[in-house]
Amino acid sequence: MSEWPNNIARKAVLEFQAYGARGGATDALHLDANESPWSPPPVQSTGGFNRYPEQQPAGLRTRLADLYGAMPEQILVGRGADEAIEVLLRTFCEAGEDSILVCPPTFGYFATCANIQGAGIVEAPLRADFSYDGTLINDKMRAAGPSLKIAFLCSPNNPTGNVIDAKIVLDLCENFPQTLIVIDEAYGEFTGADSFADQIDTYPNLVVLRTLSKAYALAGVRAGVAIADPRIITLMLKVLPPYPIPRPVEQVVMAALTPAAMPVHEARLKLWKSERERMGQALKASPFIRKIYPSEANFLLLDIEEDEKLLRALAKYQVKIRDFRSILPGKMRISIGSVEENDIALAAFGVEVKAKRQNRIGEAHRKTKETDIAVRVNLDDVSGTTIDTGIGFYDHMLGALAKHGGFSLVLSCAGDLEIDAHHTIEDCALALGTALSDALGDKAGAGRFGAHIPMDETLAKVAVDLSGRAAMVFKGEFPTDHAGEFPVEMCPHFFESLAQTLGASIHIEVSGTNTHHMIEACFKGLGRALMPAFKREGTDIASTKGVL
Ligand SMILES: *Cc1c(COP(=O)(O)O)cnc(C)c1O
């Protein structure tokens, strides 16, 4: 009898030799894969696009292992979690003999893949309240016997939004050691529940699926993973095509998941969850809704009445939601969008949005050889500021600018501080200006503003014109050459860089005898000057020309 997991794999998969692909060109002279020696036009000299990629690009695998708290050899990267589902079926289910278990209503692709593979489908439906029925799952699996190779459980479940009780999962792993227990955590980032990835070391039959399509905004890029015992991954890699991850996909994923970008993802998730709560509350007032199911995902399952009238209203507002009525009477699923999108959806549902909140968010991502920066500003929410540039004094100054400017700032930078502070300070200023300009949109409400900031012996006078034209004039002499690790010549340079990407004229005059006070007064003063520009109500543009 062969060892786990070969004893449950398809015979054919065990018997053939893995395809011997050579992907991932190294420094050697590569005349072994019939590739072109030239980059494709337009010349992408750094892309390596003329070379086949590795089956599992090492850097990507390591990054995703780190993201999900696993070891690289426990990870299979595929074209979405969807491909991991397909490969599981093709690796373990013999056509016409084996079967899988699903708990409907759930994600339809489990059954689709079983149908394509010719595997049977055993159903252990969710209870009426959509909770998982552990006893029923157990009974069905016992009755099916060893030909039931895989149990697919989805948590939070799509389309119902609820999570599975961890005890059900761990008992199944314990009681059915010859069956793969697969937990699809496509919406794992949206719940407070722990990932089952922590249990992979304990249970050799547990498989966790994750995707970059939902929380990480990469649905169009196609990347997702299976996390499991390395022996399971090895078998699955035999079935996975030789080059599933195109090089541009690897590059986009790595860029979207740089350490600097992670605080931005966190801020988005926080807003997403608060919008889920807001929508859950607000939709209660809709005349079309009988019931809203509690959700730990980025969608809500709704029980609808007057369906046809609702569909007409949705069409009028051009809002699409997912219709589940053919399998779940009266049910439709709505995804949680941006604040503005959700407000439009509420209007379609006949809910009056009082005190329409603006939510002007701007983001900038900037990566060069010297710095890797992600910035997110929200001009309409002061909560959630986190700043990490690696320069304590600079963090303090940017914090003062955001606080006095009345906006929240998430800014994270990995810079070449081993050289000096110059690139970090300059590039953060450029990225911040871009993010602010992004948040201001067409600059409605912008104009000309000023502030005077005294700090003990120091006085800073700041005047700003959000004119779209960049200029910076700085008058002041600092008594020392540094404040902390912050070189004083970078103070005017910061404002110059910011003016450039913000599209503003910034005039600063500062006098005093304490360098720390003087720099801080300049940053605070700019915040104070910008505050009315950012806070301005209405849509008037403060220029006779009509545009800024
Ligand atoms: C969206 C979704 C997936 C698919 O993820 P991809 O990585 O885009 O293939 C998998 N499982 C569930 C439950 C989903 O809702």
Side-chain angles (χ1 to χ4, degrees), residues 82-120:
D82 282 353
E83 186 165 48
I85 297 168
E86 267 170 67
V87 170
L88 280 167
L89 260 296
R90 290 199 287 148
T91 308
F92 292 100
C93 291
E94 210 71 76
E97 293 178 19
D98 295 335
S99 58
I100 65 164
L101 176 126
V102 294
C103 300
T106 191
F107 186 51
Y109 201 59
F110 306 136
T112 301
C113 290
N115 287 328
I116 293 169
Q117 178 64 15

Side-chain angles (χ1 to χ4, degrees), residues 79-82 85 107 154 158 184 186-187 211 213-214 222-224:
R79 286 163 285 193
D82 282 353
I85 297 168
F107 186 51
C154 186
N158 182 4
D184 185 337
Y187 302 95
T211 176
S213 298
K214 312 284 164 44
R222 309 308 299 134

